[in-house]
C-alpha cells in the first residue's frame, strides 16, 4: 500500500458497530466487564481507549513501527519516553534540540540523575567524542530548529549500534511522509503531533513509535504508569488531521520551494536555511535519508529594522510560535523558541537577531510572496 492510501485505509477505518466511516469519540473513562472470569479488551481508559488506539495504530503503521503511543502533547511523548532511562544513564543530544526538550533534560532529568551532553550532531566525530561508558541514548532532530541543520542518521545509527546505544529521533519537522527514521535503523521516533501531523493548529498531541516489541512494552508500561495519555476528543482530531497529511505536505512543500527561490532574489534577504537548496551543507545527506525538504525554512535579513518590519507587517502569515498548520506562521527564534538561550550562546549557534523562521501553510504561494513583499516595503 502506498503512503497516501495508508493514510486513509491503513488503520481502523470503519467503526465495527455501526459502519461509520470514522472512529467515534469514545468519551468514557471505564468499560463494563462481562463476568468475573471474562474481562474485555478495554477496562479503564488510561490503559486503553478505542479512539486513542485508532490514532496509535495509524502512526505506528506510517512510521513503519510495531507500536505507536499517543500522548497529551509532544513534550508528554518525549518526557514519558525518556523515562526508559535510569539514574546514572547519560545521553548525547543535538545542541539545537527543541527548547522544551532542552528544558526537560537540563531542568528535570538532570536532577533525577539522567545527564546530557549537547553536541553539534552534524559532526559525527563530536558525537563519538561525547560518548561515555554510561551513555545509553543518542537524541537527534533533523532537520533541526531553527537553522535546519542536517544530521546523518545512518552514520550515527551505526555508531550507536556498535556501542549498544539507543537512537531517538524527533521527526516533527519531516513527518513519516518525508522521513522514516525507523527504516534507517533508529530505535524510537518521537513527534509533536501538534504540528504537521494534525495540521490545523487545533490540537496539542504527541507520539512515540518503536519497532522493537520489548522496547514497545517498556513504553507501554510508562504510558499507563505515568498517565500522560491523549484524550478521546483530541485523538479524534489528530486522526482526522492525519488523513490529509500527504496533500497538505505536498502543497506546503511546493509553495515553500517557490517562496525560497523568490526570497533568494530579494535584496533584504542575506541568507536562507533550507535543506532543499543545493548550497545547504546538509543537502545531499538530507536527500539520501528523506523524501523531500519539507515546509519549514529560516532566513536572515539585512537589518533588525527589516526583521521588525517583516514580523509585524505580514497579514497572511501570522506572527506566532508553532508550525505545521494550514495557516502560514512566521516566528522569531531569538525571542520565541530560543529566548531561554543566553544571547552570546545564541550568536555562537548562529541564531541571529535578524533570523526569521517560516512555516508555509496552504495559502497560494503568490499571496504569501505578495504579503512578505508588502511587509518589506512598509514605512
Ligand atoms: C512543538 C515541538 C515539540 C513539542 O511538542 P508539543 O506538542 O508542543 O508539546 C517537540 N519537538 C519539536 C521539534 C517541536 O516542534
Amino acid at each position: 500500500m502506498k503512503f497516501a492510501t495508508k493514510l486513509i485505509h491503513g488503520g481502523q477505518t470503519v467503526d465495527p458497530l455501526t459502519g461509520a466511516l470514522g472512529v467515534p469519540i469514545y468519551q468514557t473513562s471505564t468499560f463494563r466487564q462481562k463476568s468475573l472470569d471474562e474481562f474485555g479488551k478495554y477496562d479503564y481508559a488510561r490503559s486503553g481507549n478505542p479512539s486513542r488506539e485508532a490514532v496509535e495504530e495509524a502512526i505506528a503503521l506510517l512510521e513503519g513501527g510495531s507500536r505507536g503511543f499517543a500522548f497529551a502533547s509532544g513534550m508528554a511523548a518525549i518526557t514519558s519516553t525518556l523515562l526508559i532511562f535510569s539514574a546514572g544513564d547519560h545521553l548525547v543530544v543535538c545542541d539545537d534540540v527543541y527548547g522544551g526538550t532542552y528544558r526537560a533534560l537540563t531542568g528535570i532529568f538532570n536532577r533525577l540523575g539522567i545527564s546530557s551532553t549537547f553536541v553539534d550532531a552534524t559532526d559525527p566525530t563530536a558525537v563519538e567524542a561525547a560518548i561515555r561508558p554510561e551513555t545509553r541514548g543518542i537524541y537527534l532532530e533533523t532537520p533541526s530548529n531553527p537553522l535546519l541543520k542536517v544530521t546523518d542518521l545512518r552514520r550515527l545509527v551505526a555508531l550507536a549500534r556498535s556501542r549498544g546505544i539507543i537512537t531517538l529521533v524527533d521527526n516533527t519537522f519531516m513527518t513519516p511522509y518525508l522521513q522514516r527514521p525507523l527504516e534507517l535503523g533508529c530505535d524510537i521516533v518521537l513527534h509533536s503531533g501538534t504540528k504537521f501531523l494534525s495540521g490545523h493548529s487545533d490540537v496539542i498531541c504527541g507520539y512515540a513509535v518503536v519497532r522493537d516489541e520489548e522496547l514497545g512494552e517498556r513504553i507501554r508500561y510508562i504510558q499507563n504508569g505515568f498517565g500522560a495519555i491523549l484524550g478521546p476528543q483530541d485523538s479524534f482530531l489528530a486522526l482526522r488531521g492525519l488523513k490529509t497529511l500527504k496533500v497538505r505536505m505536498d502543497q506546503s512543500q511546493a509553495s515553500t520551494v517557490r517562496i525560497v527561490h523568490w526570497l533568494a532574489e530579494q535584496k533584504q534577504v542575506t541568507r536562507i536555511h533550507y535543506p532543499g537548496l543545493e548550497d545547504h551543507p546538509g543537502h545531499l545527506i538530507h536527500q539520501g535519508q528523506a523524501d523531500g525538504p519539507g515546509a519549514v525554512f529560516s532566513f536572515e535579513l539585512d537589518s533588525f529594522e527589516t526583521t521588525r518590519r517583516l514580523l509585524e507587517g505580514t497579514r497572511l502569515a501570522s506572527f506566532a510560535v508553532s508550525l505545521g498548520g494550514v495557516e502560514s506562521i512566521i516566528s522569531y527564534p531569538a525571542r520565541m523558541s530560543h529566548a531561554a538561550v543566553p544571547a552570546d550562546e545564541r550568536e555562537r549557534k548562529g541564531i541571529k537577531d535578524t533570523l526569521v523562521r517560516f512555516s508555509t501553510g496552504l495559502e497560494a504561494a503568490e499571496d504569501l510572496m505578495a504579503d512578505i513583499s508588502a511587509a518589506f516595503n512598509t514605512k
Side-chain angles (χ1 to χ4, degrees):
M1 222 188 269
K2 296 258 196 248
F3 195 89
T5 314
K6 274 189 201 168
L7 281 171
I8 311 300
H9 297 287
Q12 305 170 16
T13 47
V14 182
D15 174 30
L17 209 60
T18 62
L21 291 187
V23 179
I25 302 168
Y26 283 90
Q27 193 68 51
T28 183
S29 62
T30 190
F31 300 83
R32 184 180 172 123
Q33 305 304 317
K34 287 202 181 74
S35 74
L36 205 55
D37 308 308
E38 202 187 339
F39 279 32
K41 178 177 177 191
Y42 304 102
D43 54 14
Y44 186 61
R46 169 161 36 75
S47 312
N49 174 299
S51 307
R52 190 178 89 221
E53 202 174 81
V55 74
E56 290 181 329
E57 267 184 32
I59 193 68
L61 183 85
L62 298 173
E63 285 286 3
S66 66
R67 298 286 292 269
F69 303 94
F71 294 89
S73 67
M75 283 319 303
I78 292 165
T79 53
S80 295
T81 300
L82 287 173
L83 292 173
I84 61 171
F85 298 110
S86 304
D89 289 354
H90 170 255
L91 309 174
V92 177
V93 182
C94 61
D95 62 1
D96 43 8
V97 69
Y98 177 72
T101 308
Y102 179 84
R103 183 165 49 216
L105 287 169
T106 56
I108 302 171
F109 284 91
N110 215 20
R111 189 161 50 71
L112 302 177
I114 298 164
S115 61
S116 304
T117 301
F118 297 88
V119 300
D120 177 2
T122 64
D123 175 7
T125 56
V127 174
E128 185 160 16
I131 293 175
R132 302 181 197 162
E134 65 274 22
T135 303
R136 297 284 173 271
I138 297 181
Y139 189 104
L140 305 168
E141 266 171 50
T142 180
S144 69
N145 180 28
L147 293 172
L148 287 295
K149 285 170 25 184
V150 172
T151 292
D152 188 337
L153 291 177
R154 284 191 190 86
R155 183 137 173 216
L156 291 190
V157 162
L159 171 66
R161 286 210 171 150
S162 71
R163 311 287 182 93
I165 297 170
I166 283 178
T167 321
L168 304 93
V169 178
D170 180 335
N171 202 29
T172 300
F173 273 39
M174 285 283 100
T175 81
Y177 176 46
L178 297 178
Q179 180 170 272
R180 289 167 303 281
L182 297 180
E183 288 178 3
L184 303 172
C186 301
D187 299 291
I188 302 178
V189 173
L190 298 160
H191 278 288
S192 169
T194 310
K195 316 294 167 55
F196 289 104
L197 288 175
S198 297
H200 294 72
S201 311
D202 58 3
V203 59
I204 298 272
C205 70
Y207 303 108
V209 187
V210 297
R211 186 185 39 242
D212 181 72
E213 297 282 350
E214 192 268 333
L215 200 48
E217 271 313 307
R218 281 160 70 193
I219 295 176
R220 153 97 200 134
Y221 184 83
I222 294 166
Q223 185 195 37
N224 188 42
F226 204 61
I229 50 148
L230 191 65
Q233 300 263 357
D234 287 346
S235 295
F236 170 84
L237 283 174
L239 191 61
R240 185 172 74 163
L242 195 57
K243 291 179 188 181
T244 55
L245 173 65
K246 179 184 180 294
V247 286
R248 285 185 288 105
M249 227 9 167
D250 283 342
Q251 178 64 39
S252 290
Q253 181 172 256
S255 296
T256 304
V257 170
R258 286 185 59 190
I259 294 167
V260 159
H261 284 101
W262 172 79
L263 276 176
E265 308 283 301
Q266 307 308 305
K267 63 177 191 307
Q268 295 90 344
V269 178
T270 56
R271 190 162 172 201
I272 302 177
H273 305 273
Y274 185 54
L277 292 174
E278 276 171 28
D279 65 358
H280 184 288
H283 177 68
L284 287 178
I285 292 171
H286 186 77
Q287 252 185 2
Q289 65 191 15
D291 296 330
V296 179
F297 62 97
S298 61
F299 54 106
E300 292 169 24
L301 296 157
D302 58 2
S303 70
F304 185 67
E305 283 61 48
T306 308
T307 310
R308 179 187 289 282
R309 224 179 288 139
L310 178 65
L311 291 170
E312 294 177 353
T314 53
R315 294 287 166 265
L316 297 178
S318 292
F319 177 44
V321 294
S322 199
L323 57 104
V326 294
E327 316 83 356
S328 291
I329 289 179
I330 189 164
S331 62
Y332 187 53
R335 288 196 194 158
M336 290 175 153
S337 53
H338 292 68
V341 181
D344 53 333
E345 172 87 356
R346 264 201 320 263
E347 195 69 23
R348 195 182 58 73
K349 285 182 171 170
I351 303 166
K352 299 182 180 163
D353 286 347
T354 51
L355 181 80
V356 166
R357 190 188 74 194
F358 199 91
S359 166
T360 312
L362 297 184
E363 304 91 341
E366 293 83 351
D367 289 335
L368 291 171
M369 292 185 275
D371 191 34
I372 294 169
S373 189
F376 276 157
N377 294 312
T378 45
K379 290 281 159 353

